Amino acid sequence: MRIFTRERLIALGLFFVFLFGMTQFSRKMHYAVGMGTCIWSDGIGYYEYLPALFIRHDVNHIGWGMPLPNGNRFDKYATGVAILETPFFLAADAATVLNHRERTGFSSYYGYGVLFADLFYTFAGFIFLFYTLRKWFSLRTVFFSIILIALGTNLFYYGFAEPSMSHAYSFFAFAGFLFYCRKFHEEGRRSRHLHAVGFFLGLATAIRPTSIVIGIFFLLYGVYSGKDFRERLKTFFSDRRIIPALLFWGVLLFLPQMLYWHSTTGKWFTYSYGYYDEGFTYWKSPHFFDVLFGPWCSWIPYTPVMIFFF
């Protein structure tokens, strides 16, 4: 088997060109206003588990949290982003110690750690996407598709301008999930591909619990008729590997969230946004038009390239 095939060289070339270019862009932008801007707004809520756990050793009194009657402070944001940021945080923390700096969790070292974590997962997601699309489309089509997604959607902003937000991490999890869904269904239903599907589905759910809905794609991949659907259901329930594998990874990757909830509230499961008096206010009267075409931050006017996906 050839190691350096034409497609792999192109994929790696895309990866390093984008990585170098956008790293320079992100570094200059954040350097101009201070590296502290890498961790701000909602991104603090996703990130603050790490300094609370590894520096202060107290996750029950996170500063970016809602005070509870029991004296604890509750962080409504999910733990999945922090899980993915952990290696980069630990490297930044080690650099802080080696350079005799104060371990605040929010100095420039930690800012760079979050920045490089975001860039790494963004481009790893592009690698997964490249190989998924390449199974169906020409290199030219794949190349321009990736360019459009990288520069023509809000992934550009959240991937390079707000690295502490969850969007780029979700993109990585979705791309990995799609990559291994195709492999499992089209390349012999191998166990390692099944476990990879479970891992990325569990990871996406740990980043944003509502992302569990992408599991439907695994069930319906390659289903084009009622007969296909019935056959797929038979397969799912007759193949004794599938449900245990998905449950294993789902529980394992969601366990940090459950442990945090139990430590802070005494409950293994809780509705995080309920403590902030937030919820699905408009679920009985959804604003589909406003979300898609309205003047205030709607999807299509501000990301017109997405109209093609309809």
Side-chain angles (χ1 to χ4, degrees):
M1 183 179 69
R2 294 174 59 192
I3 297 177
F4 296 106
T5 63
R6 180 170 174 240
E7 291 183 6
R8 289 181 179 179
L9 288 173
I10 291 175
L12 288 174
L14 282 173
F15 179 84
F16 286 114
V17 168
F18 271 105
L19 183 62
F20 177 77
M22 292 308 169
T23 298
Q24 296 305 309
F25 169 82
S26 298
R27 286 182 68 251
K28 289 180 180 180
M29 183 187 67
H30 288 290
Y31 181 75
V33 292
M35 282 303 299
T37 58
C38 280
I39 310 168
W40 76 295
S41 187
D42 289 3
I44 298 176
Y46 288 111
Y47 167 81
E48 200 171 5
Y49 291 105
L50 297 175
L53 178 63
F54 292 105
I55 297 177
R56 299 193 300 271
H57 308 294
D58 179 10
V59 296
N60 292 331
H61 298 90
I62 288 178
W64 188 259
M66 174 68 70
L68 299 180
N70 62 9
N72 293 334
R73 298 183 68 88
F74 184 80
D75 189 338
K76 67 180 178 181
Y77 298 93
T79 59
V81 173
I83 292 173
L84 288 176
E85 289 175 337
T86 297
F88 299 88
F89 172 85
L90 294 176
D93 194 47
T96 301
V97 173
L98 291 173
N99 286 277
H100 308 290
R101 302 287 183 86
E102 184 180 0
R103 298 173 69 209
T104 64
F106 291 90
S107 66
S108 60
Y109 286 109
Y110 299 100
Y112 279 118
V114 169
L115 173 60
F116 284 111
D118 176 79
L119 291 171
F120 174 84
Y121 291 114
T122 298
F123 294 112
F126 280 125
I127 293 297
F128 280 127
L129 185 60
F130 174 88
Y131 281 112
T132 301
L133 295 177
R134 186 64 187 98
K135 290 296 179 180
W136 300 305
F137 304 105
S138 68
L139 283 173
R140 177 181 297 180
T141 299
V142 173
F143 177 79
F144 283 109
S145 297
I146 289 178
I147 293 294
L148 283 174
I149 293 171
L151 303 181
T153 70
N154 60 5
L155 180 62
F156 177 84
Y157 177 76
Y158 286 109
F160 308 123
E162 287 201 32
S164 59
M165 300 294 276
S166 67
H167 301 69
Y169 301 92
S170 289
F171 170 69
F172 165 72
F174 294 162
F177 172 76
L178 295 176
F179 177 80
Y180 283 106
C181 275
R182 189 204 64 77
K183 276 190 167 290
F184 178 77
H185 286 296
E186 294 186 3
E187 297 184 10
R189 306 172 63 81
R190 299 175 181 176
S191 292
R192 67 174 183 270
H193 296 156
L194 172 62
H195 283 282
V197 168
F199 171 80
F200 282 105
L201 177 59
L203 186 62
T205 306
I207 294 169
R208 278 184 173 273
T210 51
S211 294
I212 196 172
V213 297
I214 68 169
I216 297 172
F217 184 86
F218 181 57
L219 174 65
L220 298 182
Y221 183 94
V223 171
Y224 301 104
S225 66
K227 180 181 178 181
D228 291 342
F229 182 65
R230 290 189 293 271
E231 290 297 321
R232 179 59 52 81
L233 287 180
K234 289 181 182 179
T235 300
F236 264 60
F237 288 105
S238 62
D239 189 335
R240 297 183 180 180
R241 303 171 302 162
I242 294 178
I243 294 177
L246 297 180
L247 287 176
F248 170 79
W249 287 107
V251 171
L252 181 66
L253 289 164
F254 207 69
L255 185 60
Q257 184 70 71
M258 295 167 58
L259 291 172
Y260 172 73
W261 282 342
H262 187 264
S263 175
T264 309
T265 70
K267 302 175 183 177
W268 289 104
F269 293 96
T270 187
Y271 177 56
S272 297
Y273 286 80
Y275 292 97
Y276 290 73
D277 195 26
E278 299 172 348
F280 296 96
T281 308
Y282 298 105
W283 71 275
K284 290 185 178 179
S285 55
H287 291 225
F288 289 121
F289 181 84
D290 292 334
V291 170
L292 293 176
F293 302 104
W296 298 104
C297 299
S298 55
W299 193 25
I300 301 304
Y302 293 92
T303 316
V305 70
M306 299 305 293
I307 193 70
F308 296 106
F309 288 84
F310 283 90

